[in-house]
Amino acid sequence: MNAFDDRFLTRNGLAARQLAVLLLNHEPDTRLPRVRDYAEELGCGNGTVQAALQLLEESGAIKTTARGHLGTFLAHSDRSILWRLSGLGTLLAAMPLPYSRRYEGLATGLRGAFEEAGAPFAITFMRGAGARTAALLEGKVDLVVLSRFAADELIAEHPVELVAELGPATYVGAHGMLLRHGVDLDAPGLRVAVDHASEDLRMLVDLVFAGRPDVQRVEASYMQLPDLFAREEVDATVWNLDEVQDRLGFGVDVLPLGDEVTRELSLRNSSAAVIGRTEGAKSLAAVRDSLDLSLITSLQREVIEGTRLPSY
């Protein structure tokens, strides 16, 4: 370990690392809190805070300027150095499997935005919002990507909170009803495929077939759908149309969802959301303030349009 790193293991250095987390949320040319305010927040003395700020300046992480009675302003910050010194480490995000160009674009956009923010970032792919959320709650990942629809349900039930929402058509283009050709949707005993690993699909099936106790639910994944329909083992389902595009045969009709379902879900189920553990409040704030959401969506759009190769 070199001498530079050794200084960040002292009391002043540990305070500098804590300050690095806080300074990730400050934009250049903004006034910094007073030294005594930082001291109170960190539980240390004013001298320790002053020494910590000096360490950060010497490391090239920040440059400050004093403006008399106006206080001290952040003139410049290097987010990559601040992030490294903060000890937040590499952020691991869990995403759906990249089976569609939309998800490939989303992964590409997230990686690009985190790199732009100077935050080390990696992606792992997991099928099912429930599995991804379990990994988040167990501390195996730092962030989870899912629909705003599923995020709202999970936020209400678990100690997680919203980090970012990306807007309509960033998670899925649309959901639709898949019906085997020639089958009467109102026929008793209708066999409906449902993927319980997906919060969105499970809840959508519940909404669409509410009041139908005769419906038989058949556990299935999107990979099985073409064969299940071809073998006439399922009659219908509600599914993400991005997943089944160009994979279903002529024997399956695609129908729009009812107006009452569409009105409730048109924005929430198509919008991508990023959630994190509430206990990591400081790191969440750093992520929330550093991400350029417009960069994520523009890179995603380029991948969907075929003008950019996916990179994640």
Side-chain angles (χ1 to χ4, degrees), residues 17 27 29 43 84 90 96 104 117 120 128 132 147 158 179 190 210 239 259 263 267 288:
R17 294 171 76 88
E27 293 296 324
D29 204 36
R84 176 170 57 83
T90 298
E104 287 191 311
R132 295 195 294 277
S147 75
H158 300 286
L179 184 65
L190 195 74
W239 218 271
D259 288 344
R263 276 195 300 270
L267 295 179
R288 189 179 289 117

Side-chain angles (χ1 to χ4, degrees), residues 14 25 35 42-43 50 64 86 92 112 132 142 154 203 211 255 262 266 282 312:
L14 293 176
N25 300 325
V35 167
L42 300 182
Q50 290 170 332
T64 63
S86 72
L92 181 61
R132 295 195 294 277
D142 303 295
L154 294 167
M203 290 187 285
L255 308 177
T262 303
S266 59
K282 289 183 179 179
Y312 51 87

Side-chain angles (χ1 to χ4, degrees), residues 194-273:
V194 59
D195 183 358
H196 284 94
S198 168
E199 290 292 313
D200 293 284
L201 296 177
R202 180 188 60 78
M203 290 187 285
L204 281 168
V205 167
D206 288 345
L207 281 171
V208 172
F209 293 99
R212 290 283 304 271
D214 62 295
V215 164
Q216 301 177 41
R217 284 168 167 75
V218 179
E219 180 66 28
S221 75
Y222 78 96
M223 294 293 291
Q224 297 172 299
L225 280 183
D227 290 337
L228 290 173
F229 275 113
R231 295 197 301 263
E232 300 185 359
E233 294 179 10
V234 297
D235 303 310
T237 190
V238 179
W239 218 271
N240 171 6
L241 299 183
D242 288 336
E243 294 183 359
V244 296
Q245 189 175 18
D246 302 325
R247 299 187 67 245
L248 294 173
F250 291 107
V252 180
D253 299 324
V254 180
L255 308 177
L257 298 179
D259 288 344
E260 67 283 355
V261 176
T262 303
R263 276 195 300 270
E264 181 179 351
L265 304 177
S266 59
L267 295 179
R268 291 196 301 146
N269 77 336
S270 73
S271 177

Side-chain angles (χ1 to χ4, degrees), residues 17-250:
R17 294 171 76 88
Q18 291 176 293
L19 278 176
V21 176
L22 301 178
L23 288 167
L24 281 167
N25 300 325
H26 282 280
E27 293 296 324
D29 204 36
T30 58
R31 186 167 64 87
L32 294 175
R34 297 170 300 181
V35 167
R36 66 171 175 267
D37 293 332
Y38 274 141
E40 182 177 346
E41 182 168 359
L42 300 182
C44 61
N46 291 349
T48 300
V49 171
Q50 290 170 332
L53 287 169
Q54 182 63 33
L55 270 178
L56 291 176
E57 293 228 30
E58 292 172 0
S59 72
I62 62 170
K63 180 176 176 57
T64 63
T65 179
R67 297 184 184 177
H69 68 280
L70 295 177
T72 300
F73 282 68
L74 182 66
H76 167 77
S77 66
D78 186 317
R79 296 189 63 86
S80 61
I81 297 178
L82 281 174
W83 199 282
R84 176 170 57 83
L85 293 177
S86 72
L88 294 176
T90 298
L91 291 171
L92 181 61
M95 273 195 62
L97 303 179
Y99 50 72
S100 70
R101 186 170 286 186
R102 194 177 309 275
Y103 284 162
E104 287 191 311
L106 182 55
T108 300
L110 285 168
R111 175 170 290 284
F114 273 96
E115 288 179 354
E116 183 74 16
F121 179 72
I123 300 175
T124 185
F125 298 99
M126 297 182 183
R127 178 173 166 266
R132 295 195 294 277
T133 304
L136 176 67
L137 295 173
E138 293 167 6
K140 295 177 181 177
V141 299
D142 303 295
L143 302 167
V144 163
V145 180
L146 68 178
S147 75
R148 181 60 195 264
F149 182 45
D152 287 344
E153 298 290 325
L154 294 167
I155 289 169
E157 298 173 2
H158 300 286
V160 298
E161 61 185 71
L162 186 69
V163 174
E165 180 182 2
L166 300 178
T170 53
Y171 193 70
V172 299
H175 285 93
M177 171 83 72
L178 306 181
L179 184 65
R180 189 159 55 83
H181 190 68
V183 170
D184 182 356
L185 188 58
D186 296 321
L190 195 74
R191 296 168 299 175
V192 176
V194 59
D195 183 358
H196 284 94
S198 168
E199 290 292 313
D200 293 284
L201 296 177
R202 180 188 60 78
M203 290 187 285
L204 281 168
V205 167
D206 288 345
L207 281 171
V208 172
F209 293 99
R212 290 283 304 271
D214 62 295
V215 164
Q216 301 177 41
R217 284 168 167 75
V218 179
E219 180 66 28
S221 75
Y222 78 96
M223 294 293 291
Q224 297 172 299
L225 280 183
D227 290 337
L228 290 173
F229 275 113
R231 295 197 301 263
E232 300 185 359
E233 294 179 10
V234 297
D235 303 310
T237 190
V238 179
W239 218 271
N240 171 6
L241 299 183
D242 288 336
E243 294 183 359
V244 296
Q245 189 175 18
D246 302 325
R247 299 187 67 245
L248 294 173
F250 291 107

